Amino acid sequence: MKLKDTIHFNWYKHLFIVLVIGLCVAASAGVTEADILDVFGNLEQMSGFLSRFLKPDFSYIPKLIGPMISTLQMSVVGTALGVVFAVPVAFLGTTVVTGNRVVTSAIRFFLDIIRTIPNLLLAALMVAIVGIGEFTGVMTIAVFTFGLVSQLVYEAIEAIDEGPIEAAVSVGANKVQVAFWSVAPQIMSQVAGYTFYALEVNVRASAVLGYVGAGGIGIILNSSLALLQYDRVSIIILLILVVVAAVDGLSEAIRRRLA
């Protein structure tokens, strides 16, 4: 092996990349006026925050149970609605079922647009359309789930065994029958897994939707932060972490069984 074939021969290229990255970081820090020393300059404020944040108000937990349940309900209902609409649209988003690239491209373009909208922006739009409350959170989660699951499902359909499809077509089955009898049985376990994965993601996301008025425990978290009630903020965050961890564990166990 020649020296030029080794990575050491191109050390100057790696050095150049590091320098470019360093210059970009320095330029970005200059534009944003970011200064790491500011963190150490506010040690008194930080210590005051930590002194209250690290003393969770456990007596506040009973008042959080209701909003936490509402948050979970929002996630479950929103996930279910999103999946119900995502699956049939995903079938239209694959040439395996439609055989029409124009329809498939249009559906995928629409889904790409849905997925590019951030959760909080989507929630803000829903607040403007529907109003403040849990229903807004449900609709936000449903739209997000729709975009997420539809992509996962149509990608799963593209990877299925086409043997059953060819067999169904050979006996005169139409596209609906092919989708129902030849495609659906091959992806049902994956759809179930995607549903629980979406629920797992949505429980985490729904905790902060209250910042824009979408209901749930996020509203209480937002108000506690605004009132500088950091002892309550810490117990809210702790409760969210416990619930999210429980949902994640349950979801992972179910998806592992379905795999």
Side-chain angles (χ1 to χ4, degrees):
M1 180 181 292
K2 297 181 180 179
L3 179 62
K4 66 179 182 179
D5 296 327
T6 67
I7 190 172
H8 304 290
F9 184 78
N10 296 324
W11 64 269
Y12 58 90
K13 294 182 180 180
H14 299 288
L15 178 60
F16 175 75
I17 293 173
V18 171
L19 290 175
V20 170
I21 294 175
L23 288 174
C24 290
V25 171
S28 300
V31 171
T32 58
E33 298 181 355
D35 189 353
I36 190 65
L37 296 178
D38 289 342
V39 176
F40 300 100
N42 293 320
L43 290 179
E44 183 177 351
Q45 180 180 345
M46 184 185 300
S47 62
F49 163 75
L50 291 176
S51 64
R52 286 178 289 173
F53 184 79
L54 296 178
K55 296 178 181 178
D57 183 7
F58 290 98
S59 64
Y60 195 55
I61 289 180
K63 296 182 180 180
L64 300 176
I65 301 301
M68 193 71 245
I69 292 175
S70 296
T71 299
L72 290 173
Q73 290 172 335
M74 283 167 43
S75 302
V76 171
V77 176
T79 301
L81 283 175
V83 171
V84 166
F85 287 99
V87 172
V89 172
F91 274 77
L92 296 176
T94 172
T95 54
V96 173
V97 176
T98 64
N100 189 321
R101 292 192 177 276
V102 175
V103 173
T104 298
S105 299
I107 292 294
R108 292 191 180 187
F109 178 72
F110 169 70
L111 295 176
D112 287 341
I113 294 176
I114 295 295
R115 287 195 302 273
T116 57
I117 305 176
N119 273 356
L120 287 179
L121 176 57
L122 184 59
L125 293 174
M126 287 297 175
V127 167
I129 297 171
V130 181
I132 295 175
E134 279 78 10
F135 182 68
T136 301
V138 169
M139 294 304 297
T140 301
I141 293 171
V143 173
F144 171 76
T145 303
F146 171 79
L148 173 65
V149 174
S150 57
Q151 180 189 16
L152 294 173
V153 172
Y154 79 62
E155 288 179 350
I157 294 174
E158 292 284 354
I160 64 173
D161 179 14
E162 296 191 15
I165 298 176
E166 295 171 354
V169 172
S170 66
V171 296
N174 58 37
K175 293 187 181 299
V176 175
Q177 292 171 325
V178 168
F180 190 79
W181 295 109
S182 300
V183 178
Q186 297 190 61
I187 64 167
M188 290 310 297
S189 62
Q190 290 170 284
V191 170
Y194 296 151
T195 300
F196 283 103
Y197 170 71
L199 177 62
E200 176 184 327
V201 173
N202 289 334
V203 170
R204 290 196 295 266
S206 62
V208 296
L209 292 181
Y211 274 92
V212 291
I217 200 169
I219 292 179
I220 299 178
L221 177 60
N222 188 26
S223 62
S224 298
L225 281 170
L227 296 173
L228 306 181
Q229 297 172 327
Y230 298 126
D231 54 341
R232 293 186 175 182
V233 170
S234 62
I235 195 61
I236 293 171
I237 293 176
L238 183 61
L239 179 61
I240 292 172
L241 289 175
V242 170
V243 172
V244 168
V247 172
D248 286 358
L250 178 62
S251 172
E252 184 178 354
I254 293 174
R255 285 188 284 117
R256 191 177 300 151
R257 284 182 173 273
L258 293 173

Coordinates of all heavy atoms in Angstrom, one line a residue, residues 173-207:
A173 N -58.6 -10.1 -9.4 CA -58.9 -9.2 -8.3 C -58.7 -7.8 -8.7 O -57.7 -7.5 -9.4 CB -58.0 -9.6 -7.1
N174 N -59.6 -6.9 -8.2 CA -59.4 -5.4 -8.5 C -58.4 -4.9 -7.5 O -57.9 -5.6 -6.5 CB -60.7 -4.7 -8.5 CG -61.4 -4.8 -7.2 OD1 -60.8 -4.8 -6.1 ND2 -62.8 -4.9 -7.3
K175 N -58.1 -3.6 -7.6 CA -57.1 -2.9 -6.7 C -57.5 -2.9 -5.2 O -56.7 -3.1 -4.4 CB -56.8 -1.5 -7.2 CG -56.1 -1.5 -8.6 CD -55.7 -0.1 -8.9 CE -55.0 -0.1 -10.3 NZ -53.8 -0.9 -10.4
V176 N -58.8 -2.7 -5.0 CA -59.3 -2.7 -3.6 C -59.1 -4.1 -3.0 O -58.6 -4.3 -1.8 CB -60.7 -2.3 -3.5 CG1 -61.2 -2.4 -2.1 CG2 -60.9 -0.8 -4.0
Q177 N -59.4 -5.1 -3.7 CA -59.3 -6.5 -3.3 C -57.8 -6.9 -3.1 O -57.5 -7.5 -2.1 CB -60.0 -7.5 -4.2 CG -61.5 -7.3 -4.3 CD -62.1 -8.1 -5.4 OE1 -61.5 -8.3 -6.5 NE2 -63.3 -8.7 -5.2
V178 N -57.0 -6.4 -4.0 CA -55.6 -6.7 -3.8 C -55.0 -6.0 -2.6 O -54.3 -6.6 -1.8 CB -54.8 -6.1 -5.1 CG1 -53.3 -6.1 -4.8 CG2 -55.1 -7.0 -6.3
A179 N -55.4 -4.8 -2.3 CA -55.0 -4.0 -1.1 C -55.4 -4.7 0.1 O -54.7 -4.9 1.1 CB -55.5 -2.6 -1.2
F180 N -56.7 -5.2 0.1 CA -57.3 -5.8 1.3 C -56.8 -7.2 1.6 O -56.5 -7.5 2.8 CB -58.8 -5.8 1.2 CG -59.5 -6.1 2.5 CD1 -59.7 -5.2 3.5 CD2 -60.0 -7.4 2.7 CE1 -60.3 -5.5 4.6 CE2 -60.7 -7.7 3.8 CZ -60.8 -6.8 4.8
W181 N -56.6 -8.0 0.6 CA -56.3 -9.4 0.8 C -54.8 -9.8 0.6 O -54.4 -10.7 1.1 CB -57.2 -10.3 -0.2 CG -58.6 -10.2 0.1 CD1 -59.6 -9.6 -0.7 CD2 -59.3 -10.7 1.3 NE1 -60.8 -9.7 -0.1 CE2 -60.7 -10.4 1.1 CE3 -58.9 -11.5 2.4 CZ2 -61.6 -10.8 2.1 CZ3 -59.9 -11.8 3.3 CH2 -61.2 -11.5 3.2
S182 N -54.1 -9.0 -0.2 CA -52.7 -9.3 -0.5 C -51.7 -8.4 0.1 O -50.6 -8.9 0.5 CB -52.5 -9.3 -2.1 OG -53.4 -10.2 -2.7
V183 N -52.1 -7.2 0.3 CA -51.1 -6.2 0.9 C -51.3 -6.1 2.4 O -50.4 -6.2 3.2 CB -51.3 -4.8 0.2 CG1 -50.3 -3.8 0.9 CG2 -51.0 -4.9 -1.3
A184 N -52.5 -5.8 2.8 CA -52.8 -5.6 4.3 C -52.3 -6.7 5.2 O -51.7 -6.4 6.2 CB -54.3 -5.3 4.5
P185 N -52.5 -8.0 4.9 CA -52.0 -9.0 5.8 C -50.5 -9.0 6.0 O -50.0 -9.4 7.1 CB -52.5 -10.3 5.1 CG -53.6 -9.9 4.3 CD -53.3 -8.5 3.8
Q186 N -49.8 -8.5 5.0 CA -48.3 -8.5 5.1 C -47.8 -7.3 6.0 O -46.6 -7.3 6.4 CB -47.7 -8.4 3.7 CG -48.0 -9.6 2.8 CD -47.2 -9.5 1.6 OE1 -45.9 -9.6 1.6 NE2 -47.9 -9.4 0.4
I187 N -48.6 -6.3 6.2 CA -48.1 -5.1 6.9 C -48.8 -4.8 8.2 O -48.5 -3.9 8.9 CB -48.2 -3.9 6.0 CG1 -49.7 -3.5 5.7 CG2 -47.4 -4.0 4.8 CD1 -49.9 -2.2 5.1
M188 N -49.8 -5.7 8.6 CA -50.6 -5.3 9.8 C -49.7 -5.3 11.1 O -49.9 -4.4 11.9 CB -51.7 -6.4 10.0 CG -52.8 -6.2 8.9 SD -53.4 -4.6 8.7 CE -54.1 -4.3 10.4
S189 N -48.8 -6.2 11.2 CA -48.0 -6.2 12.4 C -47.1 -5.0 12.4 O -46.9 -4.4 13.5 CB -47.1 -7.5 12.5 OG -46.2 -7.5 11.4
Q190 N -46.6 -4.5 11.3 CA -45.8 -3.3 11.2 C -46.7 -2.1 11.5 O -46.2 -1.2 12.2 CB -45.2 -3.2 9.8 CG -44.1 -4.2 9.5 CD -43.7 -4.2 8.1 OE1 -44.4 -4.7 7.2 NE2 -42.5 -3.7 7.8
V191 N -47.9 -2.0 11.0 CA -48.8 -0.9 11.3 C -49.0 -0.8 12.8 O -49.0 0.3 13.4 CB -50.1 -1.1 10.6 CG1 -51.1 0.0 11.1 CG2 -49.9 -0.9 9.1
A192 N -49.2 -1.9 13.5 CA -49.4 -1.9 14.9 C -48.1 -1.4 15.6 O -48.2 -0.6 16.6 CB -49.7 -3.3 15.4
G193 N -47.0 -1.8 15.1 CA -45.7 -1.4 15.7 C -45.6 0.1 15.5 O -45.1 0.9 16.4
Y194 N -45.9 0.6 14.3 CA -45.8 2.0 14.0 C -46.7 2.8 14.9 O -46.5 4.0 15.3 CB -46.1 2.3 12.5 CG -45.1 1.7 11.6 CD1 -45.5 1.3 10.3 CD2 -43.8 1.5 12.0 CE1 -44.6 0.7 9.4 CE2 -42.9 0.9 11.1 CZ -43.3 0.5 9.8 OH -42.4 0.0 8.9
T195 N -47.9 2.3 15.2 CA -48.9 3.0 16.0 C -48.4 3.2 17.4 O -48.5 4.3 17.9 CB -50.2 2.1 16.1 OG1 -50.7 2.0 14.7 CG2 -51.2 2.8 16.9
F196 N -47.8 2.2 18.0 CA -47.2 2.3 19.3 C -46.0 3.2 19.3 O -45.8 4.0 20.3 CB -46.9 0.9 19.9 CG -48.1 0.2 20.4 CD1 -48.6 -0.9 19.6 CD2 -48.7 0.5 21.6 CE1 -49.7 -1.6 20.0 CE2 -49.8 -0.2 22.0 CZ -50.3 -1.2 21.2
Y197 N -45.2 3.2 18.2 CA -44.1 4.1 18.1 C -44.6 5.6 18.1 O -44.0 6.4 18.8 CB -43.3 3.8 16.9 CG -42.2 4.8 16.6 CD1 -41.1 5.0 17.4 CD2 -42.4 5.7 15.5 CE1 -40.2 6.0 17.1 CE2 -41.4 6.7 15.2 CZ -40.3 6.8 16.0 OH -39.4 7.8 15.7
A198 N -45.6 5.8 17.3 CA -46.2 7.1 17.2 C -46.8 7.6 18.5 O -46.6 8.8 18.9 CB -47.3 7.2 16.1
L199 N -47.4 6.7 19.3 CA -47.9 7.0 20.6 C -46.8 7.4 21.5 O -46.9 8.4 22.3 CB -48.7 5.8 21.2 CG -49.2 6.0 22.6 CD1 -50.2 7.1 22.7 CD2 -49.9 4.7 23.1
E200 N -45.7 6.7 21.4 CA -44.5 7.0 22.3 C -44.0 8.4 22.0 O -43.7 9.2 22.9 CB -43.5 5.9 22.0 CG -42.2 6.1 22.6 CD -41.2 5.1 22.2 OE1 -41.6 3.9 21.9 OE2 -39.9 5.4 22.1
V201 N -43.9 8.7 20.7 CA -43.5 10.1 20.3 C -44.5 11.1 20.7 O -44.1 12.2 21.2 CB -43.2 10.1 18.8 CG1 -42.9 11.5 18.3 CG2 -42.1 9.2 18.4
N202 N -45.8 10.8 20.6 CA -46.8 11.8 20.9 C -46.9 12.1 22.3 O -47.3 13.3 22.7 CB -48.1 11.3 20.3 CG -48.2 11.4 18.8 OD1 -47.5 12.2 18.2 ND2 -49.0 10.5 18.2
V203 N -46.7 11.2 23.2 CA -46.8 11.4 24.6 C -45.7 12.4 25.0 O -45.9 13.4 25.8 CB -46.6 10.1 25.4 CG1 -46.4 10.4 26.9 CG2 -47.8 9.2 25.3
R204 N -44.5 12.3 24.5 CA -43.4 13.3 24.7 C -43.8 14.6 24.2 O -43.6 15.7 24.8 CB -42.1 12.8 24.1 CG -41.5 11.6 24.8 CD -40.1 11.4 24.4 NE -39.9 11.1 23.0 CZ -39.8 9.9 22.5 NH1 -39.9 8.9 23.4 NH2 -39.6 9.7 21.2
A205 N -44.3 14.6 22.9 CA -44.6 15.9 22.3 C -45.8 16.6 23.0 O -45.8 17.9 23.1 CB -44.9 15.7 20.8
S206 N -46.8 15.9 23.4 CA -48.0 16.5 23.9 C -47.7 17.3 25.2 O -48.5 18.1 25.6 CB -49.1 15.4 24.2 OG -48.6 14.5 25.1
A207 N -46.7 16.9 25.9 CA -46.3 17.6 27.2 C -46.0 19.0 27.0 O -46.1 19.8 27.9 CB -45.2 16.9 27.9

